[in-house]
Amino acid sequence: MSTRPPSAADLIANHGGRVTRTRVAVVDALDASNHPLTHDEVAANLSEAEVPHDRVTLYRALDWLVDKGIAHRVAGSDRAWRYGIVREAPHQHAHFHCSGCGNVFCLEQVQPAFAIALPGGYQLDRAELILHGICPTCRQAEPTAPSPEPR
Amino acid sequence: MSTRPPSAADLIANHGGRVTRTRVAVVDALDASNHPLTHDEVAANLSEAEVPHDRVTLYRALDWLVDKGIAHRVAGSDRAWRYGIVREAPHQHAHFHCSGCGNVFCLEQVQPAFAIALPGGYQLDRAELILHGICPTCRQAEPTAPSPEPR
DNA sequence: ACAGTTAACGCTACAATGTTGCATTATGAA
DNA sequence: TTCATAATGCAACATTGTAGCGTTAACTGT
Ligand SMILES: [Mn+2]
Ligand SMILES: [Mn+2]
Ligand SMILES: [Zn+2]
Ligand SMILES: [Zn+2]
């Protein structure tokens, strides 16, 4: 017998939270995605699943999940946070920002471990590595696109 | 005889732009700062120098400077862009985000050059290294502060 | 099964950071 | 000086998120 992954409800209850409609649906939505989602994307997801929800409640649910370490939050290039389920703690890896679709992908394989010669006086706490480029899906959509991008 | 650094007006004119009150003041403000400034900080700076200015015009001036490569733009942790004068092109170095003062510092010494084994299908365009911690100024202000930061 | 406590909700208002449209101004060129 | 138009200044709007506060419903204890 292998241990099954905990249900959304279990995850929430195990962290001392009340199991509510929105929280369960949010965890399910994040868990089903292969990349972190914006508040708006989660909302769309819930709407599609016909789960009634409130904008503010959704923000609070996401915040709570991050606070409990169930989800993590990563900044996008468009100043909207992305929320992703935490699949392996601690959450420390590079993130890939696709300039095609705008999605952010967690690269769990790429652990930013490098020695940095910091100028004097700076006290380093945490390093964040962000890679910009084209994700596999967008790349396949336009394989050899020159994308002239006139300056 | 050493070549003097170009005046703000020259910089602007050399890029084919009209030399206006706001643009000149913005370039001067950015140039005088040792770290990139937010729109709001630039505005405060202009107010202090008693340079009349409009919020939107200021945004457009900053955008124009970035577009021409005179300034560069870097994201803050508070979803406000920071604008800094370009002192050495190309602008490619690590950025330090101070959790004390919230300022962002350009670390021209720290060039993010590392070999990354990217998962298949991703096309890398640019790598961005963000360091989080305490800047020299904030550190001196509270030398051994634990900074409890209650969640 | 029921009642009580209070975490969490849902709504309204507000804040911060930008963007868009458009009439007006003033910069640089002729 | 005159002229074309780049750039401005103002009002309105968009997006992303927070704060206050009365109401609801999830859990606890019986
Ligand atoms: Mn991640
Ligand atoms: Mn910089
Ligand atoms: Zn993509
Ligand atoms: Zn600082």
Side-chain angles (χ1 to χ4, degrees):
Chain A
M1 54 168 194
S2 62
T3 49
R4 289 192 317 162
S7 69
D10 288 347
L11 248 183
I12 294 163
N14 289 344
H15 283 82
R18 292 187 180 175
V19 178
T20 65
R21 188 179 64 209
T22 301
R23 281 185 182 166
V24 170
V26 168
V27 169
D28 285 341
L30 297 187
D31 195 43
S33 175
N34 71 328
H35 63 270
L37 303 176
T38 62
H39 168 277
D40 222 45
E41 290 169 330
V42 173
N45 206 309
L46 297 213
S47 291
E48 193 159 357
E50 297 190 62
V51 177
H53 60 279
D54 173 75
R55 226 172 64 85
V56 175
T57 299
L58 185 45
Y59 272 114
R60 291 198 271 232
L62 290 166
D63 283 350
W64 185 85
L65 292 173
V66 170
D67 194 55
K68 295 306 176 185
I70 298 172
H72 73 274
R73 218 173 62 150
V74 44
S77 311
D78 54 359
R79 74 179 192 292
W81 293 106
R82 317 289 159 125
Y83 300 84
I85 211 74
V86 169
R87 304 193 196 276
E88 51 188 83
H91 176 260
Q92 185 176 358
H93 50 247
H95 288 101
F96 191 94
H97 291 219
C98 177
S99 50
C101 57
N103 285 334
V104 174
F105 299 90
C106 295
L107 301 182
E108 264 120 17
Q109 304 87 346
V110 184
Q111 303 270 343
F114 31 75
I116 301 164
L118 215 51
Y122 288 92
Q123 179 182 317
L124 182 61
D125 183 50
R126 176 171 58 92
E128 195 183 346
L129 181 58
I130 299 175
L131 306 177
H132 297 264
I134 307 288
C135 80
T137 304
C138 287
R139 211 181 161 196
Q140 191 161 23
E142 58 175 330
T144 56
S147 187
E149 185 76 16
R151 65 177 179 93
Chain B
M1 57 167 194
S2 62
T3 49
R4 289 193 317 162
S7 71
D10 289 347
L11 249 183
I12 294 163
N14 290 344
H15 283 83
R18 291 188 181 176
V19 178
T20 65
R21 188 180 64 210
T22 302
R23 281 185 183 166
V24 170
V26 168
V27 169
D28 285 341
L30 297 187
D31 195 43
S33 175
N34 71 327
H35 63 270
L37 303 176
T38 62
H39 168 277
D40 222 45
E41 289 169 331
V42 173
N45 206 309
L46 297 213
S47 292
E48 193 159 356
E50 296 190 61
V51 177
H53 59 279
D54 174 77
R55 228 171 63 84
V56 175
T57 299
L58 184 45
Y59 273 115
R60 292 198 269 232
L62 290 165
D63 283 350
W64 184 86
L65 291 173
V66 170
D67 194 54
K68 295 305 176 187
I70 298 172
H72 73 275
R73 217 173 62 150
V74 44
S77 311
D78 54 0
R79 72 179 193 293
W81 293 106
R82 316 290 158 124
Y83 301 83
I85 211 75
V86 169
R87 303 192 196 277
E88 50 188 85
H91 176 261
Q92 185 177 357
H93 50 248
H95 288 101
F96 191 95
H97 291 220
C98 177
S99 50
C101 57
N103 285 335
V104 175
F105 299 89
C106 295
L107 301 183
E108 265 120 16
Q109 304 88 344
V110 184
Q111 303 270 342
F114 31 74
I116 300 164
L118 215 51
Y122 287 93
Q123 178 182 318
L124 182 61
D125 183 50
R126 176 171 58 91
E128 195 183 348
L129 181 59
I130 300 175
L131 306 177
H132 298 264
I134 306 289
C135 81
T137 305
C138 287
R139 211 181 161 196
Q140 189 160 26
E142 57 176 329
T144 57
S147 186
E149 184 76 17
R151 63 174 182 93

